[in-house]
Amino acid sequence: MTTTLKYKYQLYRHLQASIPQIYAEAKKAADEIGIPPNLRGKFGLTGAISGCPAPLRRDIAEATEKGGKEVIPLAKLVDELREIVKDVYGDEWEPVPTSTCEAALWLCFDTLMTPPNLGRGDNYRARYICPYEKHMHHQAAYGRPFPPKYKDIYADRGTTAGELGFYGKRQNNFDTVIVPLVGAQYPVHGIKAHPVPLLTEVDPEASIEQMALAAEVHAPFLTGFASLGYDTPGYGYGAKDEDGAPLLMKRIGELAHEYNVPYLIDNAWGIPFVGTDPRKVNADVITYAMDKASGAATSGLVIGREDVMTHIRRAMGMHGDRWGTTASYGKAAYVTFDPGKEALLSQVQTLRVLRDKPEILTKPVDDLERIVNDEFDKIHPNIKKGLKISKSYNSQAVEVNYEGTWKEGGLGLPIFAIEDMYAGSNILQSGLAQMGVIPTIAYDANVYISPGLGTTDEDGQIIEENMRFAVRALVRLMEITARYAGMI
């Protein structure tokens, strides 16, 4: 089996043909690990999956239920959010709640970066700059890709105007300039083969020079910059300054301000206050999926500098009534992004805890890091030597990156593209489902593990036995997959 696997395409062809056997071994491994039957299908490696959100923490559920029975003007709840954000970030920072993080992105791009729809004559074009990184179908999807070689990036999911559709999000006369990062690699991998961004070796200073060159070329059309807000090596943000701020983000913010355009950070899998600090990375706006890592009900949140947030608040009908008030909750341009009362109540409680008792969210991450290190210490040495494990309070996660398994030549642990995830051919995800474990993000050689889905108690703290079952399942599945790949 192993002697015939010389090229990558042979590796992935062999894996595809071996899926039934891999699934059978995965099911058997679940029994050997001892995952209880009543737990299977009801727990997983992350509470941050959009399709299966984690249960609400007890304090959030109680605050939401209590407020749901009271008469509360929604403008009052938004003002509570404002006070909490200003307590932490300062008076010049404002929040705007939305229905989802994707709605928050749409709102920010359309309000801050796209050309106006009104006015005589032909409309002008606008362009924003993004580093070529992971999850490009979100932060890079709102304009037509430039240069043209990227025009069909993630094409299979761009042919419909759905949540993942690159074409479905594109806005008025708007382009996305995509800039590869220096030190990154973009090889083709996967059963459903596609370029994968491998980012652990990103050089932030050299990368910002390339982005500055792009900005100079596109200066007449430039209206903004956007990037992810994650802070781990696998996402390209491992290099940090003395304050812990990712250098690449910080430099992008500086560059944006040189051109007097906004810097937008998509921090969907991140949390306010404890996570990436928009002040330290020179961001103008930062968006969150509040149900992913923060623990609120399904909703999004924008936090930004008050000069740009004034326009976003107006677009959401939250800035004040026409006859002159300090706040409102009306029917403005983006009323379709309204998060609703219960989501607002959950956000207020979530931000209160993040402000006053952040250890409620940071302790589970510390416990998870210990468990992940314990379990991965037992993995086959051929895999272990290529791993890089990192903790992120921002994402409430532990990252397991295995790019390094490919560094010594030959074939490493199979890398699945994001297209594999949506095609169902990512074995590190579909195989976990066979074991009764709800999978997590596991493409581009990067696995993000976080608590919450059947692995925490009502107070958000780790249930150690359940978390260990989930992590052990991943370790065993990686070993099974590596064996079929001829790596062990």
Side-chain angles (χ1 to χ4, degrees), residues 139 149 195 298 343 349:
Q139 74 278 11
K149 69 177 181 176
T298 300
Q349 177 62 16

Side-chain angles (χ1 to χ4, degrees), residues 115-129:
N117 287 313
L118 301 178
R120 295 181 179 179
D122 294 334
N123 211 334
Y124 58 84
R125 294 206 66 79
R127 290 177 181 167
Y128 74 103
I129 294 176

Side-chain angles (χ1 to χ4, degrees), residues 303-324:
I303 294 177
R305 301 181 190 276
E306 61 183 356
D307 58 332
V308 295
M309 292 301 288
T310 296
H311 307 298
I312 291 174
R313 283 172 55 80
R314 288 177 66 244
M316 283 291 289
M318 296 177 181
H319 191 57
D321 300 292
R322 294 179 184 178
W323 53 85

Side-chain angles (χ1 to χ4, degrees), residues 53-267:
L56 294 179
R57 208 170 59 228
R58 188 200 324 251
D59 63 295
I60 296 173
E62 289 175 351
T64 303
E65 183 179 8
K66 179 178 180 295
K69 296 176 181 178
E70 299 173 359
V71 177
I72 307 173
L74 299 188
K76 180 178 182 297
L77 294 178
V78 175
D79 275 353
E80 287 188 46
L81 290 176
R82 297 175 76 185
E83 290 174 11
I84 298 169
V85 167
K86 291 174 184 295
D87 284 345
V88 179
Y89 287 149
D91 193 23
E92 67 274 20
W93 292 85
E94 290 276 2
V96 165
T98 59
S99 54
T100 64
C101 186
E102 201 68 59
L105 287 173
W106 189 297
L107 173 66
C108 291
F109 278 118
D110 214 6
T111 304
L112 302 178
M113 297 190 196
T114 58
N117 287 313
L118 301 178
R120 295 181 179 179
D122 294 334
N123 211 334
Y124 58 84
R125 294 206 66 79
R127 290 177 181 167
Y128 74 103
I129 294 176
C130 273
Y132 187 1
E133 53 184 341
K134 300 185 194 299
H135 304 317
M136 295 288 279
H137 56 291
H138 293 296
Q139 74 278 11
Y142 287 86
R144 299 190 306 178
F146 183 94
K149 69 177 181 176
Y150 297 124
K151 66 177 174 285
D152 286 325
I153 192 170
Y154 305 133
D156 282 2
R157 288 171 294 108
T159 54
T160 61
E163 187 264 341
L164 295 167
F166 228 52
Y167 296 146
K169 294 175 184 176
R170 291 181 187 170
Q171 296 185 351
N172 174 45
N173 282 352
F174 202 33
D175 303 323
T176 306
V177 178
I178 298 173
V179 180
L181 293 165
V182 177
Q185 298 180 53
Y186 303 96
V188 172
H189 278 281
I191 292 173
K192 190 167 178 57
H194 194 273
V196 296
L198 304 182
L199 306 175
T200 58
E201 304 298 326
V202 164
D203 181 333
E205 302 296 349
S207 295
I208 206 65
E209 290 180 11
Q210 294 302 306
M211 295 185 75
L213 288 174
E216 185 177 354
V217 169
H218 298 282
F221 310 97
L222 189 60
T223 58
F225 290 77
S227 80
L228 288 176
Y230 307 161
D231 61 353
T232 54
Y235 279 94
Y237 296 102
K240 298 180 174 67
D241 68 10
E242 61 278 4
D243 292 326
L247 279 172
L248 181 58
M249 286 183 223
K250 185 176 180 179
R251 298 289 184 258
I252 294 173
E254 291 170 352
L255 184 59
H257 296 159
E258 286 180 23
Y259 283 88
N260 190 32
V261 296
Y263 174 32
L264 184 159
I265 289 180
D266 174 11
N267 199 22

